[in-house]
Amino acid sequence: MAPDSDTSNRFHWTSFYSGFADRLLAFRHDRQALLAAISRLPGERVRYLTDKFADGTSGLLRDICPFTTMGIFNRGLTRDNRIKLARELAGILGMGELEGQIPRSLAGIPVLNNMNSWFFPYEKDRDDDHIDALWQVFADAMQYADDSDETNRASFIDSFNDAVNRRQVSRQLTFGLFWIRPQSFVSLDRHARTFIKGRLGLDVPKGNPDAETYLTLCDELLLMFNDESMPVHSFPELSAMAWDAADENEGDTAPEDGEGATSPVFESPYSVENIVEEGCFLERGRLEAILERWRVKKNLILQGPPGTGKIWLAKKLAFALIGSRSPSRVRPLQFHPNLSYEDFVRGWRPSGDKERPLDLVDGPFLTAVEDAKNEPARDFVVVIEEINRGNPAQIFGEMLTLLEADKRTPDEALALSYPRHGDERVHIPDNLYVIGTMNVADRSLALVDLALRRRFAFVDLEPVFGELWRSWVSDECKLDDEFLADVERRMTALNQTISDDALLGPQFRVGHSVVTPSNKTVIANPVQWFTQVVETEIGPLLDEYWFDAADRARSAKEDLLKGLGS
């Protein structure tokens, strides 16, 4: 697919696709109405939707799934024809409110092979529940994307795993998920897989991914997008860059799963100086001391109140420790209550092979261990966000013992819970470092296991205002020094109130990142900006802190805004 000529709004399509999916869901239990509408398209548009029935006859499909429906305008056609089909189909389905969102650009949207553009086999060959299973994962995916709680995640995992290994579904299911919620799901088409592995340095599942592996990859990518040093910052941008790169190398054959891809790994030198320049308000000496402690201990945790930039700093420190901006050697992860040893270290996964239904698959941590072993002259880092949101002792298993700095040798190797053979022993190499973050104000978290505390060095981060903060925000965002001094005074007073509260304390203070605009963001109206921060970020946090004392929360918010700008 050639790069889109309309570059003024490359991702205008995302609103239309998400809106189309929302409206399409209404046809889940009225597919005859959906098919009747599709049959109104010009005959040459729907000729490929001719089915074969058990009695030997053929005719227009008698059932259809949502992904095949959206595939009508996501096949190997010209861009103009795809846009025309999208407009026509939306019109006959009564989606008039989407008229203004009809895409002008189709940058990076994966398309189906014209010879295999259904997500199910002929009626004579398919299971009775095949199309129902696709509608189920379609509905569960949208529910999970819009509200990613654990219940919705579990429902999506079940329906994804049920659908992905059915005939004619496989990895192209991820194309459909990307179409319906392009900000939440990554497409695993060939170009995207090559880009993810070659440019971002992440492992891409081979064959049909299981849901946990797929969601873990999505989670890792979403964490990477938060880092301004990354070459892409959203799934649509990733897909567009991957397809653009493929077009630039047209004629080159990309090996399956990106092995041997020619795209260079994105890498540049990085040091403490870069951390300071990019908006860290700790002194250089403090940063160097943290790095030195980490090098000795091998494992480090940054802990502090919300808004103190823990995960931001963790990633920056990782790049500084390895000496370069190298995503392939820094693996971000996030712990959550449902994460298990099988997800993190090694466990059994559906293979899609009837003869051998399960594969023993290495999780991201053991993959990082192998990467480090394969390149002993280079350092590697695992970054774990909210390390105490899971059960670290259970998730790490025997790896918790191997994390210790004095056990990083082959002599200390241990057998894993799921060995590949009876003699397999594993150790964590000396060049693999772990850094985690903890929000000390999260009341839902249990105390950290003492075994974990012995193996990690802990660094406290606090709200940092003062001269460094004011200077950086003034230079980068063009805010007046006097206004910034007033914001600092108000935030310092609020944090003192929180610290003095017997039921809260210093760990509940509000961090500086809440009132630090993104790099190069010019604030045209400072009073309006700060007011919005208070109303949408600080205020809800205070309501949660003083959930049983609404008057106190309201008073604190009023104090933050009283006389602002006067």
Side-chain angles (χ1 to χ4, degrees):
M1 184 177 78
D4 237 294
S5 60
D6 179 4
T7 58
S8 60
N9 193 346
R10 299 199 79 196
F11 307 117
H12 180 260
W13 64 267
T14 59
S15 296
F16 173 81
Y17 274 61
S18 295
F20 189 99
D22 289 338
R23 290 300 308 274
L24 191 58
L25 185 60
F27 290 94
R28 179 180 181 182
H29 302 298
D30 192 9
R31 273 117 73 176
Q32 293 311 303
L34 176 59
L35 286 164
I38 291 172
S39 69
R40 292 165 53 193
L41 289 170
E44 68 274 11
R45 303 290 198 198
V46 295
R47 191 171 294 118
Y48 79 99
L49 295 176
T50 300
D51 205 347
K52 295 182 179 180
F53 308 126
D55 62 2
T57 61
S58 60
L60 190 65
L61 289 170
R62 296 192 289 211
D63 202 356
I64 194 168
C65 75
F67 302 113
T68 302
T69 301
M70 294 189 73
I72 291 172
F73 53 89
N74 288 289
R75 301 168 62 234
L77 308 171
T78 66
R79 188 190 70 162
D80 289 345
N81 278 335
R82 289 172 61 201
I83 292 173
K84 183 178 180 181
L85 268 172
R87 178 180 290 106
E88 290 176 347
L89 188 55
I92 64 175
L93 290 177
M95 302 180 184
E97 74 279 6
L98 297 181
E99 178 62 31
Q101 299 175 20
I102 300 295
R104 300 181 297 275
S105 166
L106 300 175
I109 304 176
V111 293
L112 303 173
N113 185 321
N114 286 348
M115 303 300 293
N116 184 30
S117 53
W118 298 7
F119 284 69
F120 47 83
Y122 289 130
E123 183 178 304
K124 66 184 182 68
D125 300 320
R126 66 177 176 261
D127 298 331
D128 291 342
D129 66 340
H130 188 120
I131 292 178
D132 287 329
L134 291 166
W135 278 100
Q136 186 65 54
V137 70
F138 175 77
D140 288 344
M142 291 199 294
Q143 183 70 25
Y144 173 70
D146 298 343
D147 182 4
S148 56
D149 65 24
E150 294 304 323
T151 300
N152 291 338
R153 185 183 180 97
S155 296
F156 173 73
I157 287 172
D158 288 344
S159 57
F160 182 102
N161 287 336
D162 180 42
V164 72
N165 291 314
R166 293 176 183 254
R167 290 178 59 189
Q168 289 188 224
V169 180
S170 68
R171 194 158 39 204
Q172 75 177 11
L173 178 60
T174 67
F175 302 12
L177 296 176
F178 177 66
W179 295 339
I180 66 175
R181 287 295 185 267
Q183 302 298 342
S184 300
F185 298 112
V186 66
S187 168
L188 295 183
D189 59 89
R190 179 165 60 93
H191 300 322
R193 297 196 314 273
T194 297
F195 185 88
I196 292 168
K197 186 168 184 177
R199 289 292 303 275
L200 302 183
L202 294 181
D203 290 326
V204 182
K206 297 180 179 180
N208 299 342
D210 65 275
E212 282 285 10
T213 302
Y214 176 66
L215 286 180
T216 297
L217 177 61
C218 290
D219 292 342
E220 289 180 351
L221 288 166
L222 286 168
L223 285 174
M224 293 180 77
F225 295 158
N226 292 328
D227 188 337
E228 67 272 14
S229 67
M230 294 298 105
V232 293
H233 300 92
S234 70
F235 293 130
E237 190 178 349
L238 183 157
S239 191
M241 189 172 288
W243 280 80
D244 287 350
D247 285 333
E248 290 170 6
N249 297 318
E250 192 170 1
D252 295 342
T253 300
E256 192 67 13
D257 287 306
E259 294 176 3
T262 58
S263 301
V265 174
F266 185 76
E267 192 166 330
S268 58
Y270 200 87
S271 68
V272 166
E273 294 297 323
N274 295 99
I275 301 179
V276 174
E277 289 171 2
E278 291 171 9
C280 180
F281 311 126
L282 298 180
E283 299 286 349
R284 287 174 175 79
R286 175 87 190 283
L287 292 171
E288 289 167 353
I290 292 172
L291 279 173
E292 183 57 32
R293 181 63 184 137
W294 188 13
R295 289 190 180 98
V296 173
K297 189 69 174 178
K298 301 294 182 184
N299 314 303
L300 181 75
I301 286 178
L302 303 178
Q303 61 180 3
T308 46
K310 297 179 290 295
I311 190 63
W312 181 91
L313 182 58
K315 292 176 182 177
K316 304 299 182 185
L317 287 170
F319 288 145
L321 182 127
I322 66 176
S324 68
R325 225 188 272 266
S326 178
S328 64
R329 292 193 281 144
V330 175
R331 183 179 294 269
L333 304 168
Q334 188 171 41
F335 276 12
H336 55 79
N338 286 345
L339 192 69
S340 66
Y341 174 92
E342 289 77 10
D343 300 320
F344 185 66
V345 180
R346 178 185 284 171
W348 292 100
R349 295 280 187 276
S351 67
D353 185 342
K354 292 183 179 180
E355 300 297 323
R356 184 182 177 183
L358 296 176
D359 276 340
L360 195 56
V361 177
D362 289 347
F365 187 75
L366 198 56
T367 300
V369 167
E370 291 303 314
D371 288 344
K373 285 182 180 177
N374 291 335
E375 295 188 69
R378 307 212 301 170
D379 292 329
F380 290 75
V381 177
V382 172
V383 180
I384 303 174
E385 185 173 356
E386 303 289 8
I387 194 170
N388 56 334
R389 276 200 169 273
N391 182 333
Q394 182 180 9
I395 293 169
F396 276 101
E398 62 278 338
M399 291 290 172
L400 193 57
T401 296
L402 299 177
L403 278 174
E404 292 190 46
D406 58 358
K407 289 185 168 58
R408 301 285 189 102
T409 66
D411 291 341
E412 299 289 344
L414 296 175
L416 297 181
S417 298
Y418 301 100
R420 294 194 181 278
H421 53 79
D423 296 330
E424 184 188 33
R425 297 291 184 273
V426 172
H427 76 282
I428 297 177
D430 200 49
N431 60 324
L432 180 64
Y433 296 80
V434 178
I435 185 168
T437 69
M438 291 199 326
N439 182 357
V440 294
D442 195 331
R443 303 190 231 211
S444 68
L445 304 179
L447 292 175
V448 175
D449 188 277
L450 290 177
L452 186 75
R453 286 199 175 275
R454 289 200 307 272
R455 290 164 174 84
F456 282 79
F458 284 75
V459 172
D460 291 319
L461 298 183
E462 298 185 347
V464 180
F465 293 100
E467 184 179 351
L468 282 177
W469 174 77
R470 292 195 305 273
S471 176
W472 189 88
V473 177
S474 176
D475 291 344
E476 297 292 329
C477 307
K478 311 308 178 189
L479 284 172
D480 180 78
D481 288 341
E482 185 175 342
F483 177 80
L484 290 173
D486 187 31
V487 169
E488 178 181 347
R489 179 186 61 77
R490 293 167 188 268
M491 294 300 298
T492 301
L494 171 65
N495 282 334
Q496 188 61 53
T497 299
I498 293 172
S499 296
D500 292 342
D501 190 302
L503 297 179
L504 295 175
Q507 69 270 29
F508 287 88
R509 288 171 294 172
V510 181
H512 52 272
S513 67
V514 178
V515 288
T516 304
S518 300
N519 190 15
K520 303 297 184 185
T521 300
V522 177
I523 306 299
N525 187 328
V527 172
Q528 182 184 53
W529 164 75
F530 184 68
T531 301
Q532 290 175 344
V533 169
V534 172
E535 291 176 347
T536 63
E537 297 182 55
I538 301 175
L541 186 64
L542 299 180
D543 289 336
E544 182 180 334
Y545 284 178
W546 286 303
F547 67 92
D548 56 352
D551 289 344
R552 190 157 194 185
R554 183 170 56 254
S555 176
K557 286 184 281 187
E558 290 173 352
D559 288 343
L560 280 173
L561 297 175
K562 188 182 300 179
L564 183 65
S566 59

